[in-house]
Amino acid sequence: MIDRKQLKSEAFALGLSLNDTQLEMFDAYAELLVETNKRFNLTAIKTPDDIVTKHFVDSLTVFTSADFPKEGSRVIDIGTGAGFPGVPMLIYDNSLEITMLDSTGKKLDFVRSALERLGLHADVIHARAEELGRGELRETFDFAVSRAVASLNVLCEFCLPFVKQGGKFIALKGSKADDELAVSRTAVKTLGGKFIRCKELLLADEQTRNLVIIEKSEPTPPKYPRPSAQISKKPL
Ligand code: SAM
């Protein structure tokens, strides 16, 4: 299905080495993704080459950050969809304790069957981030990660409540991360965060990615996250 050599070399270009078992798992995951996508719209990225670069390698970029990974870390992937970046992260480092969260149940059915097929374990939760973030999982994760879910200021309200003090929120963003960051300063500060750095990367599709790294420096005030309607009506 996928070109394993392509995946291995694109990951290697990021300084990440993949073994045969991991390459086999990525291949099986791509096959499941393409098969399921014929019946249910999971992702707009459908060709094997694009799956390699735009889903798999893109998801693995989190491991290039000096702020990540630490073996055995507790990680929450907010708005995981068909499992990105959470499933590739778990294939790369199965010591991670990953929770995958999404508000669309059907996508999570796919994630559950993919994890089972790959022999991996993660907690898969069907909920809205802004509701779950007020419950018992609040401030219990070392890392929150998220890709393609919302603008950075809104995403901060979804993600920062889950991160414990000293932990980090890593947003996987495209080329406009600086602009998003400029309008997210209030959100970051209000929610107990501190901007650390943006790490720019260029992938094989010649498009720029940015990892936006935000540390949880203070507890999130109890009034956040607010209900969905307020977040969308009056984003921080
Ligand atoms: N992260 C995946 C990726 O990069 O391929 C999926 C991205 S998809 C464009 C956005 C996902 O975020 C959808 O699956 C949607 O259901 C989920 N989502 C949006 N708002 C959410 C919220 N408030 N709480 C949980 N999931 C949410």
Side-chain angles (χ1 to χ4, degrees):
M1 155 71 42
I2 57 166
D3 181 343
R4 296 186 191 191
K5 274 196 191 143
Q6 178 199 350
L7 174 55
K8 198 176 166 88
S9 77
E10 288 186 27
F12 192 74
L14 294 177
L16 307 172
S17 112
L18 296 175
N19 62 33
D20 287 347
T21 311
Q22 290 165 324
L23 291 168
E24 206 165 297
M25 288 166 101
F26 276 114
D27 204 359
Y29 184 34
E31 202 174 314
L32 267 181
L33 198 61
V34 168
E35 270 313 301
T36 312
N37 221 23
K38 287 179 187 159
R39 298 185 310 262
F40 170 69
N41 188 22
L42 278 173
T43 167
I45 295 165
K46 295 184 176 104
T47 67
D49 282 7
D50 278 352
I51 290 175
V52 166
T53 309
K54 295 179 190 294
H55 275 328
F56 295 168
V57 180
D58 191 29
S59 296
L60 293 176
T61 57
V62 288
F63 292 102
T64 70
S65 157
D67 305 275
F68 199 82
K70 310 212 171 23
E71 255 194 21
S73 293
R74 266 175 67 74
V75 180
I76 184 161
D77 176 9
I78 311 268
T80 190
F84 301 106
V87 173
M89 287 173 68
L90 207 49
I91 294 176
Y92 185 74
D93 180 356
N94 67 10
S95 78
L96 297 173
E97 265 186 57
I98 303 196
T99 295
M100 297 190 201
L101 169 73
D102 204 282
S103 54
T104 307
K106 275 209 162 180
K107 292 190 179 176
L108 295 180
D109 291 343
F110 168 77
V111 171
R112 283 191 197 93
S113 60
L115 289 169
E116 197 181 315
R117 166 88 176 272
L118 301 175
L120 294 170
H121 174 76
D123 288 331
V124 177
I125 303 182
H126 180 205
R128 295 198 67 85
E130 60 275 36
E131 287 163 15
L132 200 73
R134 302 189 67 84
E136 59 183 25
L137 291 180
R138 187 181 177 90
E139 299 191 331
T140 61
F141 291 91
D142 302 303
F143 294 94
V145 292
S146 190
R147 187 185 81 153
V149 173
S151 59
L152 189 61
N153 54 338
V154 169
L155 206 53
C156 283
E157 191 158 354
F158 290 168
C159 295
L160 277 169
F162 287 105
V163 182
K164 58 187 183 198
Q165 261 180 277
K168 300 214 169 73
F169 161 41
I170 304 182
L172 290 81
K173 288 283 179 187
S175 58
K176 304 257 163 64
D178 279 348
D179 297 347
E180 287 199 45
L181 199 55
V183 292
S184 302
R185 300 273 175 192
T186 308
V188 172
K189 197 166 187 299
T190 307
L191 296 158
K194 185 174 140 208
F195 170 67
I196 302 292
R197 70 180 69 82
C198 242
K199 176 168 179 164
E200 194 178 273
L201 299 139
L202 189 68
L203 297 192
D205 57 8
E206 299 194 342
Q207 286 175 18
T208 304
R209 311 297 203 278
N210 275 284
L211 296 175
V212 182
I213 296 147
I214 294 167
E215 187 180 301
K216 180 76 173 269
S217 51
E218 308 281 336
T220 299
K223 75 180 267 208
Y224 302 105
R226 297 163 297 159
S228 316
Q230 277 183 42
I231 297 178
S232 44
K233 208 167 147 198
K234 255 194 141 192
L236 287 171

